[in-house]
Amino acid sequence: MVDDGTQVLEAPRFAEVASMPGDPAPTTGSNAEGIAPGVESAHLVARMRHGRGVLARVATTLNNHGVRRLSYVSTEFGAATVEVTVCARDAARVEARLRRMVETLEVTRVVGRD
C-alpha cells in the first residue's frame, strides 16, 4: 500500500456484534451508527498531526473504551481529523487519552450532535 497522504477510515461498531457491560439489552431497532436507541453517546473531534502509524496509535489508545464509531481523515498538508463516538460514560477518559498523545493539537467535545 502506498500512502498518498490522504487516508480515510470509518469503522462503526454495531450493538449486535459487541455490547458493553452495563449497556441495556440490545433492542430490535437501532440507528444508522448501530447504537441502541437508549444508550447515550458523546462525540469527540481531535485535530492531529498526520504521520506514519498515527491511525494505529489512535486505535491502540482507544482499544479498551466503548468506542462506537471512529473516523480518521488525513490531508496532504500533514493534518488529520479524528472523530470518535463513544459511550457517554467513557467520554472524559477518551478525551484525556487523546489529549495525551504527542500528535494531538486539539480535542473538542461536540454537543448536540445526534
Side-chain angles (χ1 to χ4, degrees):
M1 180 175 119
V2 177
D3 183 5
D4 63 355
T6 305
Q7 298 177 358
V8 177
L9 171 75
E10 210 167 296
R13 178 186 283 177
F14 296 99
E16 295 81 30
V17 175
S19 61
M20 300 300 297
D23 280 353
T27 58
T28 56
S30 62
N31 63 17
E33 292 182 359
I35 301 172
V39 178
E40 281 191 50
S41 61
H43 305 280
L44 303 167
V45 177
R47 287 189 23 211
M48 307 181 105
R49 288 185 301 271
H50 173 66
R52 184 179 175 104
V54 173
L55 175 58
R57 284 193 290 280
V58 169
T60 301
T61 299
L62 303 180
N63 186 38
N64 293 328
H65 301 286
V67 175
R68 300 301 179 115
R69 184 170 189 222
L70 171 67
S71 174
Y72 182 92
V73 179
S74 65
T75 65
E76 61 189 56
F77 303 111
T81 302
V82 177
E83 292 185 30
V84 183
T85 302
V86 295
C87 297
R89 68 176 182 268
D90 292 336
R93 170 77 93 195
V94 168
E95 183 176 356
R97 294 199 80 182
L98 284 171
R99 286 185 190 280
R100 277 185 279 180
M101 293 183 68
V102 173
E103 299 86 1
T104 302
L105 302 173
E106 171 186 31
V107 178
T108 57
R109 191 178 297 203
V110 180
V111 179
R113 179 179 168 213
D114 284 322

